[in-house]
Amino acid sequence: LLCKSVLSNFALGAAKVKTGSRAPEDTSLFSGLGAGAQDFDGSGKEYRDTAHEKHVKAAQARANRIIGNDHENIPITLILAFGGLLANPNAAVHCALVGGFTLSRLAHTFFFYKALQPWRAIAYGAGLTCTLGLALNGVVAAFRM
């Protein structure tokens, strides 16, 4: 998940460069790439045409939403995963759920970048199922103590 998060943030940074939405002082970093002026909101950006503008703005919005979705789902699952360990849960179930969650988040990100439905929703549902499974596995273990 760490590698996925880092790559997602790099993708967002690249998308922001293309829309001119990075900090103004970053203009000099990307001038050799033909990125143009950077001014936080991209208002100074000149696009080849309307279709290009729509494409790069959509890519930035997509990258933002991927990261936002991660921020909504990964922390609570990690809390449940690590918290559940305190109750000495079924180790095989716990490992399978953590692995399943990790794979589902990787798949969700891939499907979101590629705009593939219903696969993105299926991956999200699988991750949510693993999160709920971690909670249940922890509760069951707590009552067995």
Side-chain angles (χ1 to χ4, degrees), residues 3 7-8 12 15 17 22 30 33-35 44 46-47 53 59 82 87-88 90 94-95 99-101 114-115 128 141:
C3 291
L7 290 174
S8 293
L12 176 58
V17 168
R22 294 198 41 123
F30 305 109
L33 302 174
E46 294 182 22
Y47 297 94
E53 178 180 6
F82 289 120
N88 195 19
N90 181 311
H94 190 83
C95 287
F101 177 78
K114 296 294 186 179
L128 181 59

Side-chain angles (χ1 to χ4, degrees), residues 87-141:
N88 195 19
N90 181 311
V93 171
H94 190 83
C95 287
L97 291 168
V98 169
F101 177 78
T102 301
L103 290 174
S104 71
R105 292 308 302 172
L106 292 170
H108 178 267
T109 297
F110 176 79
F111 295 140
F112 209 145
Y113 272 125
K114 296 294 186 179
L116 298 174
Q117 278 290 19
W119 301 109
R120 186 181 96 212
I122 292 168
Y124 177 83
L128 181 59
T129 301
C130 291
T131 299
L132 295 173
L134 284 165
L136 182 62
N137 195 34
V139 168
V140 168

Side-chain angles (χ1 to χ4, degrees), residues 44-73:
K45 180 73 175 175
E46 294 182 22
Y47 297 94
R48 291 189 305 254
D49 54 44
T50 306
H52 179 251
E53 178 180 6
K54 185 177 179 181
H55 173 75
V56 295
K57 286 183 177 180
Q60 180 182 338
R62 190 170 291 281
N64 263 329
R65 289 177 185 209
I66 287 168
I67 291 170
N69 190 276
D70 284 349
H71 288 171
E72 293 167 357
N73 291 280

Side-chain angles (χ1 to χ4, degrees), residues 24-47:
E25 61 270 18
D26 291 352
T27 299
S28 61
L29 289 174
F30 305 109
S31 61
L33 302 174
Q38 303 292 312
D39 61 4
F40 287 120
D41 66 359
S43 60
K45 180 73 175 175
E46 294 182 22
Y47 297 94

